[in-house]
Amino acid sequence: MNKITSILWGLVLIALGVIFGLNALEITDIDIFFDGWWTLIIIVPCFIGLFTGESIIGNLIGAIIGLCLLFACQGLLDFAIIWKLLVPAILVVVGLSIIFKDTFNNKIRKEISKISKDKGTEHAAVFTGQNLDFNKEEFKGTTLDAVFGGIKCDLRGATIKKDAVITTSNIFGGTTIYVPDDVNIKIVSNSIFGGVSDERKKKTTDAKVTVYINATCIFGGVEIK
């Protein structure tokens, strides 16, 4: 969880605490269980996700769906119209994301295109799991595909002499990548209802070597630890 995400979640919890406290003291009578309150479970995480700089398209789709459902519960929109337009709207947003994907993080994508000529190893987990350990190996990059499965990739004991790219696709699956403390991590993510989360306790930005994470997540995710 990055700093911005932590602050936003903190503000959400503080707001809820203040509302509950004022209601308990009978200073206010704010009904948080209004019609469609459950849509906030979709809206709030997606809204916060828009500020992380990752998985923008997936979070945008989720926020739009959540808002449409909220408006329907409030009687501002018709549920029948929402269901009819839901799939077309998602297809339009996904199509636009494909067309303009190179506009976002363009600098990082150019670096990836230069380095990814050396693709390194390739691994796939389809309806299964894989544990990959590059201990005492020279890591030059890899491709990880998780489809209804999971992959754990451990680079903590690997030798990384130069910049490398990890290209990972996660479709109803997930990938966990363990990285050493002495490398930079840069992320590019094309995600729909999924994303990449950087869970490292120690983060550096001035290391000599960078590992690029080029992720595609569709109902899946990547964790960096």
Side-chain angles (χ1 to χ4, degrees):
M1 186 180 291
N2 62 33
K3 187 175 181 180
I4 295 176
T5 306
S6 299
I7 292 173
L8 290 172
W9 275 114
L11 291 173
V12 170
L13 294 175
I14 290 171
L16 287 174
V18 170
I19 291 172
F20 281 127
L22 292 175
N23 284 348
L25 294 172
E26 298 184 350
I27 298 174
T28 61
D29 185 20
I30 300 173
D31 184 11
I32 63 170
F33 296 107
F34 52 85
D35 291 339
W37 66 268
W38 52 270
T39 61
L40 296 179
I41 299 173
I42 302 172
I43 296 170
V44 172
C46 290
F47 178 77
I48 291 175
L50 292 174
F51 291 88
T52 64
E54 301 164 10
S55 309
I56 294 177
I57 299 301
N59 284 308
L60 180 60
I61 292 174
I64 291 172
I65 292 173
L67 287 171
C68 288
L69 292 174
L70 175 60
F71 293 154
C73 291
Q74 292 291 318
L76 300 176
L77 288 177
D78 190 343
F79 269 113
I81 295 176
I82 291 176
W83 296 127
K84 288 179 181 179
L85 296 179
L86 184 59
V87 173
I90 291 175
L91 290 175
V92 169
V93 174
V94 173
L96 290 173
S97 71
I98 293 172
I99 294 171
F100 295 105
K101 68 178 181 179
D102 290 332
T103 304
F104 304 100
N105 297 311
N106 192 42
K107 185 177 180 180
I108 298 177
R109 293 183 189 279
K110 287 182 178 179
E111 292 296 326
I112 289 175
S113 64
K114 294 178 183 177
I115 303 168
S116 58
K117 293 178 181 178
D118 186 358
K119 294 183 179 180
T121 59
E122 296 184 7
H123 306 274
V126 182
F127 291 99
T128 187
Q130 276 208 45
N131 292 320
L132 307 174
D133 192 346
F134 290 87
N135 187 40
K136 297 182 180 179
E137 295 183 27
E138 183 178 352
F139 182 74
K140 297 182 179 180
T142 187
T143 299
L144 309 174
D145 297 320
V147 182
F148 290 95
I151 297 177
K152 290 184 179 180
C153 176
D154 195 341
L155 303 179
R156 289 173 293 186
T159 301
I160 307 176
K161 296 181 179 180
K162 59 182 181 179
D163 294 352
V165 177
I166 298 176
T167 301
T168 174
S169 299
N170 303 271
I171 302 173
F172 291 95
T175 298
T176 303
I177 303 171
Y178 297 90
V179 298
D181 294 332
D182 58 347
V183 298
N184 300 323
I185 297 294
K186 293 186 178 180
I187 301 168
V188 173
S189 173
N190 295 314
S191 302
I192 301 171
F193 296 110
V196 182
S197 61
D198 190 346
E199 305 292 342
R200 291 176 295 156
K201 294 180 180 179
K202 295 182 180 179
K203 299 180 182 180
T204 181
T205 57
D206 57 357
K208 295 180 179 180
V209 176
T210 298
V211 175
Y212 293 87
I213 310 295
N214 187 12
T216 299
C217 303
I218 301 175
F219 291 96
V222 176
E223 288 186 345
I224 302 170
K225 296 184 177 182

